[in-house]
Amino acid sequence: MATLILRDTYRELEKEMKSLEKLKRETADKIRDAADHGDLKENAEYHAAREEQSLIVYKIQLMQSHAPFKLIENSEIGTDAVEFGNKVTIREEGADGAEDYYLLGPIESELDLFPLVVTYHSPFGQAIVGKKVNEHFTLDIQGKDTKFTITAIEKISGDQEDARNKKNLSAIGLDKKTEE
């Protein structure tokens, strides 16, 4: 079965994969350079580069493991009932306020594009799919039934994703335009 993914997320995935492939090549160069320094048993640079490459390869394989993809266009996302691509506001019984959850897939979760991603495969995700505003559902959380209420359903907009990306860029100091 194909993994659901927003078209905008797929573009981000393509960028991430290119970045990881470039990083993998750079790390291979580091390994080769470190290996030229002699005894590999006591060569910390060599071992650090090998470990870094191992993590890069793992991340590439993890992203590829979700293929094939089914691209979901913003125009295909509805708001009458909870479905993939929705921002869902949910209030837990007894809680002070409601929280926003993003019903998406594993790639959106891996790329950390949105706060509080709930994948459509998870028990929580499956419990909210098809629910409408003011509908209740109950989940067994740590052996206790917990009641929740859907209070709002919205499409995830490009504006929400743009704001999240700007926040990420700002956090690492890349939010300023650079001169070429």
Side-chain angles (χ1 to χ4, degrees):
M1 185 171 150
T3 300
L4 301 179
I5 186 170
L6 296 172
R7 178 167 296 283
D8 291 340
T9 301
Y10 187 75
R11 289 184 193 116
E12 289 299 318
L13 175 62
E14 287 177 323
K15 289 179 197 173
E16 178 73 7
M17 293 300 285
K18 285 178 185 174
S19 173
L20 287 170
E21 289 295 339
K22 180 181 177 194
L23 197 55
K24 183 179 167 187
R25 287 189 301 276
E26 291 170 356
T27 306
D29 291 342
K30 285 183 192 177
I31 291 170
R32 189 177 55 253
D33 292 345
D36 289 342
H37 293 126
D39 185 12
L40 298 181
K41 285 184 179 179
E42 297 179 19
N43 188 330
E45 283 180 41
Y46 174 80
H47 291 290
R50 290 285 305 233
E51 187 173 327
E52 182 180 354
Q53 186 178 49
S54 183
L55 291 171
I56 293 166
V57 168
Y58 171 75
K59 190 162 186 175
I60 290 170
Q61 290 172 343
L62 180 64
M63 297 294 179
Q64 290 172 337
S65 73
H66 296 294
F69 300 109
K70 179 176 187 226
L71 300 181
I72 305 297
E73 302 291 344
N74 193 43
S75 61
E76 296 176 67
I77 301 168
T79 57
D80 292 336
V82 177
E83 62 181 68
F84 180 88
N86 285 148
K87 173 182 163 187
V88 186
T89 306
I90 300 173
R91 186 177 42 77
E92 180 179 342
E93 187 176 78
D96 291 336
E99 290 201 54
D100 294 333
Y101 295 89
Y102 295 78
L103 185 63
L104 296 164
I107 295 296
E108 285 90 358
S109 181
E110 289 293 330
L111 292 176
D112 195 29
L113 297 174
F114 299 93
L116 289 174
V117 170
V118 174
T119 65
Y120 60 91
H121 292 299
S122 70
F124 193 86
Q126 290 177 1
I128 64 175
V129 168
K131 298 286 188 268
K132 296 181 179 192
V133 173
N134 294 322
E135 274 195 66
H136 307 284
F137 65 97
T138 303
L139 282 177
D140 181 335
I141 299 176
Q142 297 178 346
K144 179 182 173 199
D145 283 345
T146 306
K147 186 176 177 183
F148 298 89
T149 304
I150 307 289
T151 60
I153 303 169
E154 301 173 42
K155 280 186 184 185
I156 293 174
S157 70
D159 294 343
Q160 292 165 326
E161 188 170 358
D162 289 344
R164 174 76 176 161
N165 289 337
K166 284 179 186 174
K167 181 180 173 188
N168 286 342
L169 291 175
S170 177
I172 58 175
L174 296 175
D175 56 336
K176 315 252 185 321
K177 290 187 178 179
T178 57
E179 301 284 326
E180 290 189 27

